[in-house]
Amino acid sequence: MKKRQGFSSSVGMMMATAGSAVGVGNIWRFPYILGEYGGAAFLIVYLLMVMLIGIPLMVTEMAIGRRGGEDASKSFKKIAPNTKWYLSGLLGIIAAFIILGYYSVVAGWTLKYIVNSATNVFTSSITPQQTTSLFQNFVSAGLEPIVYTFIFMAATMFIVYKGVEEGIERASKILLPILACILVILAVRSLTLPGAYKGIEFLIKPDFNLFFEKKDAILVAMGHAFYSLSLGMGIVITFGSYTPKDENLSKIALKIAAMDTVIAILSGLVIFPAVFSFGLEPSQGPGLVFISLPNVFGGMVGGRVFGTLFFMLLSFAALTSTISLLEVVVSYLIDSKGLKRSTATLLSGGLICIICVLSSLSMGSHLGDFTLFGKNIFDFLDYITANIFLLISAFLEVLFIGWFYKKGDFVDEITEFGVDKSKLTDFIYFSVRFVIPVMIVVLFIANNGLIK
Ligand code: PHE
């Protein structure tokens, strides 16, 4: 039999997982929720959530994958034979598949915005009304956004087809450093704008009033930690299965979470000083990046270059995430269904493209009136994955590891068989057993409106 693919080293694993974690969520979503929830106050709570929940869950997923040594579903079958725990992994795989069906649409938009910036569409004379209608006309145009989405999916499929080490690991090792450089260049530009200090103030001076006014802030912080670290969708399990046996999982997880958070904060340092400098509102919501920032770039010296760089940054971040999502599905088709990598990639990529068409068309008149539970297709897919699938999958994982799996085996897996004696292990196990399950149940109830 052919040897199963894998990462070349812990650095490869770290870069690929960090690539997955660093995505549109860091650069687009994190700053706008930070804006809505009071800046620094939210940041503090978010950091707590990453430590309390994000890191332990990440270690758990890595351990399941590495022990099982197979895709996100079959790994469970290996470590808990003849049980139904594999359904947890399967749910994650389905989530990854669905998420790609709308995430790639947003990724496609970033390509269009690279073109827009590079061809100087955003000039100093463009008004906020114009950037708004530009965005709305584009996303609802029908064919054009679909073409961009397909280009993006083709790139994703190509990298995944090249394999774990040659494709995913290599792409992440190239793209992440470029991404970090672009981010630093943009932060320097943003921080040297007149009035930039107000943006910094916003990021470091906690506004607890705004924070407490919004009763769901803690849950939003937790939900974002899940999303930002790519948890509950089989990614970390799959990547764990490609990790060499002698690597220390807790340390890798700590570093990945740190990278992800630093990049999110850096994105805030790019966006808020610029937003304040141009007198815009920080709490603009989802339109912040595609509607407000074009005005900022239009009005700034060198805006054409910086705008182009910014949207390149966004698309690189998206690409390192989409490859990880596709790999989850592809590895399932390879390990559990016996397909060849090429067939698996074409099949799953093709099906995902069909979902992408539907979710893209739901942004405009073509399918905009078609709703499921009161949401268009795009929002519906986002909703069921983020609020239902991910949470159930993650809940089952911690239930399994915390209460049904042998503690000794789990601890062996994350401490290099006892070599690592740090207290972190106790903390992780405690969190997996008690903190995370309780928090997920609360989040599930709140997000799905089961309790007001
Ligand atoms: N973690 C990614 C981000 O921050 C989001 C993501 C979600 C990636 C789901 C892969 C899968 O954007």
Side-chain angles (χ1 to χ4, degrees), residues 170-183:
R170 189 190 285 171
S172 308
K173 278 181 173 167
I174 297 173
L175 292 175
L176 263 191
I178 300 182
L179 186 149
C181 290
I182 298 182
L183 209 50

Side-chain angles (χ1 to χ4, degrees), residues 20-21 23-26 99 103 227-228 230 233 235 321 325:
S20 172
V24 175
N26 299 60
I99 291 173
Y103 197 86
Y227 184 82
S228 190
S230 301
M233 43 199 129
I235 293 175
S321 294
L325 284 164

Side-chain angles (χ1 to χ4, degrees), residues 89-110:
L90 199 57
L91 209 58
I93 296 168
I94 298 172
F97 180 80
I98 300 179
I99 291 173
L100 261 179
Y102 70 87
Y103 197 86
S104 323
V105 174
V106 180
W109 299 347
T110 64

Side-chain angles (χ1 to χ4, degrees), residues 37 89 96 104 113 118 125 129 138-139 157 169 171 181 200 228 277-278 288 336 389 392 418 425 446:
Y37 286 86
S104 323
Y113 272 66
S125 58
Q129 287 75 19
F138 167 65
V139 300
M157 286 163 70
E169 178 176 330
C181 290
I200 304 172
S228 190
S277 169
F278 282 79
L288 189 62
S336 287
F389 284 43
I392 298 181
T425 310

Side-chain angles (χ1 to χ4, degrees), residues 412-427:
D412 279 350
E413 191 65 41
I414 67 171
T415 56
E416 300 167 75
F417 292 85
V419 174
D420 174 359
K421 303 219 179 313
S422 83
K423 285 265 170 285
L424 190 61
T425 310
D426 295 330
F427 165 75

Side-chain angles (χ1 to χ4, degrees), residues 353-421:
C353 282
I354 298 177
I355 307 185
C356 287
V357 170
L358 298 178
S359 42
S360 183
L361 290 179
S362 77
M363 304 299 289
S365 55
H366 309 80
L367 270 179
D369 295 333
F370 177 80
T371 56
L372 293 159
F373 299 94
K375 298 184 189 321
N376 68 22
I377 300 175
F378 187 103
D379 293 338
F380 176 74
L381 298 181
D382 180 24
Y383 183 85
I384 54 164
T385 46
N387 296 303
I388 299 177
F389 284 43
L390 301 188
L391 295 186
I392 298 181
S393 172
F395 181 74
L396 293 176
E397 281 165 14
V398 285
L399 205 62
F400 169 64
I401 291 293
W403 296 90
F404 292 90
Y405 193 63
K406 250 195 23 232
K407 179 179 177 187
D409 286 351
F410 175 65
V411 171
D412 279 350
E413 191 65 41
I414 67 171
T415 56
E416 300 167 75
F417 292 85
V419 174
D420 174 359
K421 303 219 179 313

